[in-house]
Amino acid sequence: MPHPGTGTEGMAASPSPDHLFGLRNSFYIGAYHAAITSSQSLPAHALSPDDLVERDALLYRSYIAIGSHQLVIGEIGPSAATPLQAVKLLAVYLSGDAGNRESVVSRLRELLSDAAVGTNPILRLMAGTVFMHERDYAEALKHTSSGGSMELHALNVQIYLQMNRTDHAEKQLRVMQQLDEDHTLTQLANAWIDLVMGGSKIQEAHLIFQDLSEKYPATCTILNGKALCSMHMGNFEDAEGLLLESLNKDAKDAETLANLTVCSLNLGKPATRYLNQLKLAQPDHALVKRMSSAADSFDRACQAMA
């Protein structure tokens, strides 16, 4: 990111400081409590109107990430800016009430079709996230593929990986690398792709997560990344240690519980407690659905043999 220069007469004006750099970075690495604290300490008078909206969006998205959906729903009123309304819709969608999901999708479609606000990058990011959860990848990409922010590019990588289109994810990564090779989201996207590709790429992913863990506080995001690399390399005991450290930071983190379930099974240890905790924390998690489907198939097979 550019840093403000001292400025010299006769030279072009130096870029203004990016007051949101630290806040964004905390959010990207999963340091949500730090992001909340950081957002509340930023001087409002130093921020432009767009910066103020982005600051509040990151604040509320951090609350969503730690599970405080109702706080977000309660605080964002009907007069709030459209990007914040979109964040509120994400909170409603993720709050666990399946009955609200259709109305959230319908409202997002209305906002996206509005020529005055439909191109807003935060709105498109929230919509893309909801449509990705809906597994409506074509609809998600319709709103995210034009880019406009590093987060939109990173979301595209996630969508393509969920579609098993590593080739498209790699193309998106190259775009991010051209924009800013050292950006935290570029590094994370690179590691996500390396993990999916496997083989020799696992070591490269491990180096990225190791580098992030040396630069920043250990978060669930970073610890899970390192643990996944360890599991891919067959080092399940190392992975378990990292995941227990992550669980100590957030006992309800869904990815930590899912990875601990898999890790425990590979170590021959009981995994039921972690799986039950995952069901409570995130009943729609892919691992919960896969385990439930496998159990149903087993029961049907037993009944057929009876």
Side-chain angles (χ1 to χ4, degrees), residues 60 64 68-74 76 84-105 107-108 126 130:
Y60 288 123
I64 291 171
S68 299
H69 303 107
Q70 294 305 322
L71 181 147
V72 176
I73 294 166
I76 299 178
L84 298 181
Q85 296 293 343
V87 173
K88 180 177 182 175
L89 287 169
L90 177 64
V92 173
Y93 181 88
L94 295 175
S95 64
D97 187 345
N100 285 330
R101 291 185 177 176
E102 278 188 34
S103 62
V104 166
V105 169
R107 178 62 182 143
L108 282 171
M126 297 301 97
V130 167

Side-chain angles (χ1 to χ4, degrees), residues 124-279:
R124 291 189 291 122
L125 185 68
M126 297 301 97
T129 302
V130 167
F131 289 125
M132 183 174 71
H133 278 283
E134 288 281 294
R135 302 187 187 280
D136 190 346
Y137 302 125
E139 186 68 19
L141 289 167
K142 189 166 90 177
H143 305 293
T144 62
S145 60
S146 59
S149 72
M150 290 298 276
E151 274 206 90
L152 281 164
H153 291 303
L155 182 58
N156 287 334
V157 171
Q158 289 183 310
I159 294 167
Y160 285 129
L161 290 176
Q162 288 202 15
M163 294 171 67
N164 296 314
R165 291 304 305 263
T166 313
D167 53 337
H168 285 303
E170 286 184 289
K171 287 179 186 175
Q172 196 65 214
L173 174 61
R174 285 194 286 275
V175 172
M176 296 177 74
Q177 288 170 331
Q178 287 168 359
L179 290 168
D180 187 348
E181 191 169 12
D182 296 324
H183 197 288
T184 300
L185 285 177
T186 306
Q187 297 300 308
L188 284 169
N190 199 340
W192 300 334
I193 293 170
D194 287 343
L195 279 167
V196 170
M197 294 181 74
S200 61
K201 291 285 186 181
I202 298 300
Q203 189 59 40
E204 293 177 31
H206 184 264
L207 289 172
I208 291 171
F209 285 118
Q210 184 60 36
D211 183 53
L212 289 172
S213 69
E214 289 169 4
K215 284 183 183 175
Y216 306 112
T219 62
C220 293
T221 299
I222 293 172
L223 290 166
N224 272 274
K226 291 176 74 174
L228 280 169
C229 294
S230 293
M231 284 197 281
H232 275 285
M233 293 187 282
N235 301 326
F236 291 101
E237 288 186 2
D238 290 348
E240 184 184 39
L242 291 162
L243 293 168
L244 289 173
E245 184 182 347
S246 180
L247 193 67
N248 194 43
K249 292 180 180 295
D250 183 355
K252 295 181 180 179
D253 184 68
E255 292 313 306
T256 302
L257 291 166
N259 289 330
L260 266 171
T261 301
V262 174
C263 190
S264 298
L265 290 170
N266 277 279
L267 287 169
K269 294 182 177 182
T272 308
R273 183 195 301 165
Y274 298 131
L275 184 60
N276 287 339
Q277 286 177 284
L278 179 60
K279 287 177 183 175

Side-chain angles (χ1 to χ4, degrees), residues 20 47-60 80-84 87 120 122:
L20 300 183
L47 302 178
S48 69
D50 285 347
D51 282 347
L52 285 169
V53 170
E54 186 181 356
R55 179 202 64 182
D56 290 347
L58 287 164
L59 166 66
Y60 288 123
T82 299
L84 298 181
V87 173
N120 180 274
I122 296 175

